[in-house]
Amino acid sequence: MPKSTNIPPPLTPPSPTSDANKSLGVAPVSSPKLKVRLSHMLHNATHHSKANKGNGGEITWCFSQVKGSIEEEVAEADIISCVEFNSDGDLLATGDKGGRVVIFQRDKASKNAVPSRGEYNVYSTFQSHEPEFDYLKSLEIEEKINKIRWLQQTNRNHFLLSTNDKTIKLWKVAERNKRPEGYNLKDEMGQFRNKSAITSLRVPIFQPMELMVEASPKRVFANAHTYHINSISVNSDLETYLSADDLRINLWNLEITDQSFNIVDIKPANMEELTEVITAAEFHPKECNMFVYSSSKGSIRLCDMREQALCDKHAKLFEEPEDPTNRSFFSEIISSISDVKFSHSGRYMITRDYLSVKVWDLNMETKPVETYQVHEYLRNKLCSLYENDCIFDKFECSWSGDDKHIMTGSYNNFFRMFERDNKRDCTLEACREITKSRTVLKPRKVSSGGKRKKDEISVDSLDFNKKILHTAWHPLENIVAIAATNNLYVFSSKD
């Protein structure tokens, strides 16, 4: 007799009605509910693909709304200094130089419309910071809000961090639509009753009231920075965050206000030997032990907190060698990085210097994988930009929710869009001449010399007082918020 071998039978997928499917809780393919669900998923995927791709990947942008006064005389306190969407994009916060935070809420009708629109209404306004005076250093501390960062929502309340140059505050934003009535010791007007006249015991009850949004400070993180705070970033562990100034980066626990850990210190023993300062810092979106910080010399350092407590030695250094042909007196100034942002996937990061946006792959340190020129036509104007201090402007940059597009600001209220797949770019303008909803934005072009076409604007005609430094991209949809001086513009895709 031939010797038997234990050869397993060939694997065959279980039938839709098999016991295996039942044990896993999988509905049969023939289920009407599953067919409807699959149909919805296919429809949504097709719609999302069209919304993202548009004309071969290019997004057609439409005007949604503008918030702010139209007066020509702009008060310094009203100038917007930061813009930030929360994690689902339903709330949009702005901070200004007057220390105020204004929170906008997505209009439900615009969200549910087909196609959806990006329209926001004022949700809450509160004074976050006040001007202070450091008597030891005879130094005024401005109330200007440098950064706002939302915390991941874990209950019905919202939490955000806001900071000026010295102090970070954690704010709780809560809704209240009911109030207790029927107190024993107080009357309806809030006045105390005569205790001798109280003859019965009442149980207070909650009665509906007009919706009230309250912002209250829950934590104040102070006295940890000698120099001006330029960045705050919430960690993916939802327990800690970092704050960075010119020379140091501190790690905080959100529950502890009187203690922080210094994780980066680049201050030299002799300040005359100082060669660079920290310009921006951010945590990795998924790896809670990793963060990056950029410097005024154009380098980006990736640090891993698992290696050592003080991250003076970086894990990776991202730096591009300077092109000798472009070397000039202004090279060091324009190479300073004003912003660094991780992509949502965590694989890439973008950096913004004065003239360009660069995309870096975390696996390649030697040079960026993509470089986009923002306003190269200004290279010949660096001398006049130095004289009027515009060369020191700090522009921010933003990723789209799918990491396929990049946005950053420029002068003359222009902002730039870069499409990574097809390497297309366009220049758009935030102006009050367009006030009708769903009006398509027309691309603008700048003529740097020679014969100027009819639809182009001369580089000599640019208004350098109108600058877009702060931008934000909705995390899930093609909706962008643009801060132009004291006005907040919201644009959304046509599809």
Side-chain angles (χ1 to χ4, degrees):
M1 291 181 65
K3 191 175 182 180
S4 64
T5 55
N6 296 323
I7 301 175
L11 292 173
T12 55
S15 64
T17 56
S18 70
D19 292 335
N21 275 352
K22 290 178 183 176
S23 65
L24 292 171
V26 179
V29 175
S30 58
S31 166
K33 287 185 179 179
L34 186 60
K35 285 183 178 179
V36 172
R37 189 178 174 191
L38 288 171
S39 174
H40 279 300
M41 288 172 65
L42 183 61
H43 172 76
N44 291 339
T46 306
H47 177 75
H48 183 71
S49 176
K50 287 180 180 177
N52 279 339
K53 290 186 178 178
N55 301 324
E58 193 172 358
I59 301 173
T60 303
W61 291 99
C62 297
F63 173 84
S64 284
Q65 62 183 160
V66 58
K67 300 284 188 181
S69 62
I70 58 174
E71 300 170 2
E72 291 188 11
E73 293 276 337
V74 179
E76 184 78 10
D78 294 334
I79 297 175
I80 298 173
S81 54
C82 56
V83 184
E84 189 76 12
F85 281 102
N86 72 337
S87 58
D88 61 8
D90 282 347
L91 294 179
L92 171 64
T94 64
D96 62 27
K97 290 189 174 182
R100 295 180 298 268
V101 173
V102 182
I103 301 175
F104 300 91
Q105 185 180 44
R106 180 90 176 268
D107 183 70
K108 290 183 179 179
S110 74
K111 184 178 181 180
N112 298 328
V114 181
S116 64
R117 305 187 307 272
E119 294 177 6
Y120 288 77
N121 302 315
V122 176
Y123 181 65
S124 177
T125 303
F126 58 92
Q127 188 73 29
S128 175
H129 287 72
E130 301 282 355
E132 300 173 49
F133 190 82
D134 188 336
Y135 292 96
L136 291 176
K137 297 181 179 179
S138 297
L139 186 69
E140 290 185 4
I141 302 170
E142 292 183 346
E143 64 269 37
K144 172 192 168 189
I145 308 295
N146 292 340
K147 288 287 188 242
I148 290 175
R149 289 290 181 265
W150 290 92
L151 272 63
Q152 192 77 30
Q153 189 176 6
T154 55
N155 52 40
R156 59 181 298 182
N157 301 320
H158 300 277
F159 292 87
L160 61 86
L161 289 167
S162 63
T163 183
N164 66 349
D165 286 341
K166 295 294 180 185
T167 307
I168 305 160
K169 294 183 180 181
L170 174 65
W171 290 89
K172 174 187 175 182
V173 182
E175 292 182 354
R176 193 153 63 92
N177 58 2
K178 291 182 180 180
R179 65 183 172 197
E181 290 185 356
Y183 287 106
N184 290 282
L185 301 178
K186 294 180 182 178
D187 59 18
E188 280 69 21
M189 302 300 293
Q191 300 295 324
F192 282 97
R193 297 172 185 263
N194 183 359
K195 293 182 180 179
S196 61
I198 300 174
T199 58
S200 61
L201 181 66
R202 295 192 297 175
V203 178
I205 59 173
F206 280 96
Q207 295 286 4
M209 61 174 281
E210 187 178 349
L211 179 66
M212 182 184 294
V213 181
E214 296 177 326
S216 54
K218 303 302 290 182
R219 308 269 191 280
V220 178
F221 307 88
N223 305 320
H225 285 276
T226 307
Y227 307 97
H228 294 175
I229 298 171
N230 55 49
S231 302
I232 51 175
S233 178
V234 182
N235 201 348
S236 59
D237 63 10
L238 308 182
E239 293 181 0
T240 57
Y241 75 93
L242 65 77
S243 59
D245 64 24
D246 294 338
L247 297 178
R248 296 187 178 101
I249 300 176
N250 292 335
L251 180 69
W252 299 83
N253 188 298
L254 286 163
E255 301 293 329
I256 302 171
T257 60
D258 60 352
Q259 186 180 31
S260 65
F261 297 94
N262 181 226
I263 53 175
V264 172
D265 188 351
I266 65 168
K267 182 182 179 181
N270 182 3
M271 285 295 281
E272 292 181 359
E273 298 174 1
L274 183 67
T275 58
E276 62 181 336
V277 294
I278 298 168
T279 55
E282 187 178 62
F283 265 121
H284 191 279
K286 296 179 179 179
E287 304 294 336
C288 63
N289 53 282
M290 292 168 58
F291 67 94
V292 294
Y293 68 92
S294 57
S295 82
S296 57
K297 290 183 73 174
S299 59
I300 312 102
R301 292 171 174 85
L302 176 72
C303 299
D304 191 337
M305 292 189 292
R306 294 173 300 184
E307 291 186 5
Q308 54 188 14
L310 188 62
C311 300
D312 285 350
K313 293 182 180 178
H314 49 267
K316 288 188 176 183
L317 175 65
F318 301 86
E319 203 169 31
E320 185 179 24
E322 185 184 4
D323 185 356
T325 59
N326 289 331
R327 180 71 185 170
S328 70
F329 171 78
F330 307 104
S331 294
E332 192 168 325
I333 301 173
I334 63 174
S335 65
S336 174
I337 295 172
S338 56
D339 195 19
V340 57
K341 293 273 175 64
F342 277 110
S343 63
H344 294 83
S345 66
R347 171 70 186 272
Y348 301 97
M349 59 182 175
I350 49 173
T351 58
R352 172 69 206 265
D353 55 43
Y354 190 69
L355 294 177
S356 65
V357 172
K358 295 172 182 176
V359 180
W360 300 82
D361 188 326
L362 292 191
N363 296 327
M364 189 170 79
E365 306 167 55
T366 52
K367 62 179 181 178
V369 291
E370 300 160 30
T371 301
Y372 301 99
Q373 301 301 331
V374 178
H375 37 219
E376 184 65 19
Y377 46 79
L378 294 181
R379 190 175 288 274
N380 296 328
K381 301 281 183 182
L382 294 179
C383 188
S384 58
L385 291 167
Y386 178 78
E387 290 173 356
N388 63 16
D389 286 343
C390 284
I391 200 169
F392 301 106
D393 287 333
K394 292 176 169 43
F395 293 94
E396 295 177 3
C397 49
S398 305
W399 288 97
S400 64
D402 58 6
D403 294 338
K404 293 182 178 179
H405 298 81
I406 298 166
M407 172 179 61
T408 191
S410 182
Y411 295 103
N412 208 71
N413 276 4
F414 289 166
F415 59 99
R416 302 272 283 143
M417 295 286 191
F418 302 100
E419 200 263 306
R420 296 182 61 205
D421 288 346
N422 298 325
K423 299 297 184 288
R424 293 179 182 173
D425 66 274
C426 68
T427 302
L428 303 172
E429 183 180 6
C431 66
R432 280 191 170 269
E433 294 176 8
I434 304 173
T435 55
K436 187 178 178 182
S437 182
R438 306 299 295 167
T439 302
V440 176
L441 299 185
K442 294 181 180 179
R444 302 299 305 269
K445 291 185 179 179
V446 178
S447 171
S448 56
K451 193 174 181 180
R452 182 167 61 90
K453 294 181 182 178
K454 184 180 178 181
D455 59 342
E456 291 182 340
I457 181 172
S458 170
V459 67
D460 297 317
S461 303
L462 296 176
D463 188 345
F464 292 101
N465 292 318
K466 294 180 178 179
K467 57 190 79 171
I468 292 176
L469 304 175
H470 314 288
T471 61
W473 200 306
H474 191 289
L476 305 173
E477 299 179 42
N478 287 329
I479 299 172
V480 296
I482 308 289
T485 318
N486 64 324
N487 292 318
L488 178 70
Y489 290 84
V490 180
F491 303 103
S492 56
S493 62
K494 183 178 180 182
D495 300 323

